Amino acid sequence: MNIIGVGPGDPELITVKAVNAAINSKFIFYPDVCGGKSRVAYDIIKNAVRLSGAKELPEEMFLPLEVEMKRSNGRNGDLYYKNAIKIIEKLKEGTCSYITIGDPMFYSTYYGLHNAIEDIRSDNFLKSGYELDINIINGVSSLHYALGLIGKPYIIKNGAVFITVPIKKNSAEIEREIRFIADKYPRPQVIVFMKAGAYVKDILSAFKRMYAAALTEDRVKLYLIEKSKLVNDFAERDCLDFDYFSILIGVFV
């Protein structure tokens, strides 16, 4: 079984190894969010195979797996368990691949699937000598892509990078995380807020409360990446409601 990272959204940024693994699969499973309204990984792999010059993959190869994201109703535990069973059943017919945006080992839907597979193993579902060999195929993460959009090599020797997710954190917790990296030396020091969309206003307010002068003097720089694009002057906008997957990066220079 292949776990394939298809990159941040640009089909030209998927690896050759990932494309080859997809082409040689019997079935390709992909996360189906919001009842088919969001099939990002599916679209990426289809376009990447097309760009490679290979024959277009038949639609019957692709099998959706329902997952909850953004707005969760607490069903993911049950969904991932059912999805894992679906994949294991299909593995009896040949090699299967599960595709996920970015890198499967970095804030991806593979986390829930991995845990479900481990639960099934512990429940003795895989028996009679049946082995499940999992092959991780890394992809370009959204963080690396975001740093490329910024275009400045802030992450260097002796610097620190603090990666966090602001979901369900209050203002005090966000401030504490910012202060943790701000107190580090030598410069630059970087804090990365993944999945920052609904919390951009809170994060921005925290920076302004604590480091207003540093922001004015460009000793602290803030960057926002939304839908694979660098958003200019986002701090001056009246509306600070951004996509769930948006990344906010703060740099103490």
Side-chain angles (χ1 to χ4, degrees):
M1 176 180 175
N2 299 310
I3 307 298
I4 302 175
V6 297
D10 185 342
E12 291 185 315
L13 287 177
I14 191 171
T15 66
V16 173
K17 186 174 184 179
V19 172
N20 288 338
I23 291 172
N24 291 313
S25 298
K26 178 73 173 180
F27 298 105
I28 299 174
F29 292 88
Y30 63 91
D32 180 23
V33 184
C34 302
K37 294 180 181 178
S38 179
R39 306 190 303 175
V40 179
Y42 166 91
D43 292 334
I44 294 171
I45 197 69
K46 291 277 283 189
N47 289 329
V49 170
R50 191 177 299 116
L51 287 172
S52 74
K55 183 179 178 181
E56 186 165 353
L57 301 180
E59 198 60 35
E60 55 268 24
M61 282 182 64
F62 292 90
L63 301 174
L65 296 177
E66 184 184 0
V67 296
E68 288 189 334
M69 212 175 291
K70 301 183 182 181
R71 292 182 177 86
S72 175
N73 295 312
R75 298 172 55 230
N76 263 339
D78 184 55
L79 287 174
Y80 279 126
Y81 193 87
K82 291 179 179 178
N83 290 340
I85 291 177
K86 289 178 183 178
I87 292 174
I88 289 170
E89 287 297 324
K90 285 297 183 181
L91 279 168
K92 297 172 183 177
E93 300 179 39
T95 300
C96 292
S97 291
Y98 176 75
I99 56 175
T100 181
I101 58 174
D103 183 276
M105 310 307 286
F106 188 75
Y107 291 115
S108 85
T109 53
Y110 175 56
Y111 170 77
L113 187 61
H114 167 82
N115 289 343
I117 290 172
E118 291 302 309
D119 287 344
I120 291 171
R121 279 176 164 166
S122 65
D123 288 344
N124 296 317
F125 186 90
L126 303 178
K127 54 188 177 180
S128 302
Y130 187 81
E131 293 292 334
L132 178 56
D133 183 22
I134 296 178
N135 177 36
I136 303 294
I137 300 177
N138 298 101
V140 176
S141 74
S142 56
L143 172 58
H144 290 98
Y145 183 72
L147 294 171
L149 290 176
I150 292 171
K152 296 182 180 180
Y154 286 127
I155 299 177
I156 60 175
K157 182 180 180 181
N158 296 326
V161 183
F162 182 21
I163 303 172
T164 182
V165 176
I167 295 173
K168 296 183 179 180
K169 292 178 180 175
N170 58 37
S171 296
E173 290 174 302
I174 291 173
E175 287 185 7
R176 187 161 53 248
E177 292 182 338
I178 294 172
R179 189 175 293 109
F180 173 81
I181 199 70
D183 292 341
K184 306 297 180 185
Y185 286 90
R187 304 299 196 199
Q189 303 292 334
V190 181
I191 183 167
V192 180
F193 290 94
M194 306 293 297
K195 301 180 180 180
Y199 293 83
V200 170
K201 182 178 180 179
D202 294 338
I203 298 167
L204 184 59
S205 296
F207 270 102
K208 288 181 175 179
R209 281 193 301 271
M210 297 189 293
Y211 303 104
L215 284 166
T216 302
E217 298 165 3
D218 276 343
R219 291 185 287 112
V220 175
K221 295 181 179 293
L222 300 178
Y223 301 92
L224 182 74
I225 292 83
E226 181 187 39
K227 296 180 179 178
S228 301
K229 294 182 179 179
L230 187 63
V231 181
N232 295 317
D233 301 322
F234 75 94
E236 280 71 48
R237 293 189 180 187
D238 293 329
C239 179
L240 293 174
D241 185 20
F242 295 94
D243 182 73
Y244 173 83
F245 289 107
S246 296
I247 302 172
L248 197 158
I249 299 176
V251 184
F252 292 85
V253 295

